[in-house]
Amino acid sequence: MKDITEIKAYLRDKFVGKAVTPSDMTKSCKAVLGSLPIIANALAKASGKTVAVQHGHTLGATDGNTIYMMDMPIPKDSSDIDTFVLMLALSYGLTHHEIGHVNDSTFDDPEINEGRRSSALVDHLVGIIEDVRQENVHIARYPGSKLYLDGLAAALQVTGHYAPVTPQEPPLAILTGYLLYRLYWEYRGDYTVENMLTQAEDAVRQTFPEGLVARLETILPRMDDLESTADSMELARDIADLLKDEADKAQQEASTPSPGRQDAQQGQGTASQGAQAGNPTPGDPSQGGSAQGGSGQDDSSRQDGSQGDPQGGASSDAGNGHGDAPTTEKEQRAANLQAALDADKTEKGYGDRSRDIAAALNAIISQVEEEGPAAHLEMTGEHLDAEVAATTSDLPMVTPGYDMAEALSVTAQLRMRLVREMQSMADGEVTVGTRGRRLSGGHLARVGVADGRIFRTVDEEVEVNTAVCLLEDVSGSMDGEPIELASKALYATTRAMEGIDGVNVAAATFPGFYVVKPFGVKSGLVRDRFNLDSHGGTPMAQGITLARRMLTATTERRKMLIVITDGRPDSRPATEVAILAAQAAGIEVYGLGIKIDAGEGLFPTWLTIKSIAELPYTMIGLLRERLFAKAA
């Protein structure tokens, strides 16, 4: 990629996809953001480690046991799309990068840690090599992660943390920058850095002894054989040894005069002897010669050369007539390589990505939050840790329980309607004939040639293959009649739906993130658990995330979420993000209001009931547009 504009377009395409209008782009970004906590915690759980919320300079760090993230701000609808996309690229990239370290890097090996402390160059080299190695392993384990890890490199370029390498940079930055881009391009298959690699290689060839790139090419293929952090350390040390050999060789060559240089020095010695014998030499003031000629000019030339570009751009002599590089340039190139070897940890260089990612992400987050108080997406919490396959034991309930007879009285009617109408139609064989009730748009032209075969017939096979999660809001604002009505509606709907072949139904609540009835368990066995009590706030976003986790674990083709609530969440922006993320995951989301219309405009489909008697008709109306659709 040639410039920042092209890189930004690449990131938009990867994270926004087919969205065209600004509002659609924002929705797409919110959906991607809403999935981040689930992905991060699922990856961490699979590794046996944890994700912790941590603000400050340790963001992005991992000690092999904990990955430190932060609650992510939710950009406003007016936020710049490219800024939003950058935040997504950095946060997802950070997640996958650190999970890779947790799964495949060694943190407590004294020999490795001592080796990293031995020199700044080795520390930078092992950071680069180990990043490439563990990311390759991570991608092999989770192929979808390559998108996010490649996007990470692109985002670091946009933010300037991956910068072009020029001959004016310190030797350590030139050398490590080249190796960073070279290894990511050639051994990680990240082609977003191709242009950066081209610039870096030019800088290396201008700065260091000739042939250094060729020598490196003899050792870099060992990247394909690395299996551990110890292997990465061994390769880093061997590269450092190779560089030391090259520096010694270059210094030796620079200190050995070329044959042309030796002839010139011998000529100068003869001229000096002639001057002492009374023969005038050019440049000898005592003999009337010019003060700017002869050996005076040579000394001046060498002095000027030694004060040339400190990174390898030293000015050259007039040449030695044998095609060799000027001695001062060789000396400077050798000195540059030695400077990279001797660099300390305060000098600029490239190494492990983690610090760069954290710095870039913190800067973007600060920029988002400067737009005004932002809602945040929680990266950790009960909704991400709660068990979703088993019944929760400490469910808050009322005593005595509700009279469920009224709920049961509408259950039969609701089930009858659902059985008759609730179905998803499997694709069937399509035929076109002269009779039928549906016109085939693709065959209407036949009318012009007196061909009556314009009606399409589908041999349909009814297939109800749906998982439904009913999520009840039991927050304090539902206290009194609303919580009783909602609990009865939850029980009646659960009983009605589980009586339909092909429908798998579960029930859960928030706050507290309790599973009232898990998938695969009959509601009659847990009837008392529907006597739900109200308590706490309304973390609806987290509740939707819990339900999404429950649905994702099912095998049914169609997945539905029905939220029974008064529609007043603690954070409307966070709830919107959770709904968009659930929809992007293929879940149909509906809102059933309890005596209030506050959820209109928040849920894609929303209807309200004021009594349990309205439930059958309202539920059918709520679902008809989507659930009863027939696939043709």
Side-chain angles (χ1 to χ4, degrees), residues 8 66 117 134 205 316 563:
K8 286 182 177 180
T66 301
R117 289 190 291 268
Q134 62 90 356
R205 293 186 184 279
S316 62
V563 183

Side-chain angles (χ1 to χ4, degrees), residues 220-236:
L220 294 183
R222 284 172 52 187
M223 287 291 303
D224 289 328
D225 301 321
L226 303 180
E227 296 182 354
S228 66
T229 307
D231 289 347
S232 296
M233 171 57 71
E234 183 179 356
L235 179 57

Side-chain angles (χ1 to χ4, degrees), residues 200-262:
E201 185 168 334
D202 287 343
V204 166
R205 293 186 184 279
Q206 293 179 50
T207 304
F208 299 114
E210 294 179 6
L212 179 63
V213 172
R215 282 293 308 277
L216 286 170
E217 287 174 351
T218 66
I219 195 171
L220 294 183
R222 284 172 52 187
M223 287 291 303
D224 289 328
D225 301 321
L226 303 180
E227 296 182 354
S228 66
T229 307
D231 289 347
S232 296
M233 171 57 71
E234 183 179 356
L235 179 57
R237 283 172 165 166
D238 288 348
I239 291 174
D241 289 343
L242 179 150
L243 295 172
K244 181 66 170 65
D245 289 343
E246 281 295 301
D248 292 343
K249 175 183 174 183
Q251 289 169 352
Q252 183 177 2
E253 290 179 353
S255 64
T256 302
S258 64
R261 188 76 173 180
Q262 289 175 340

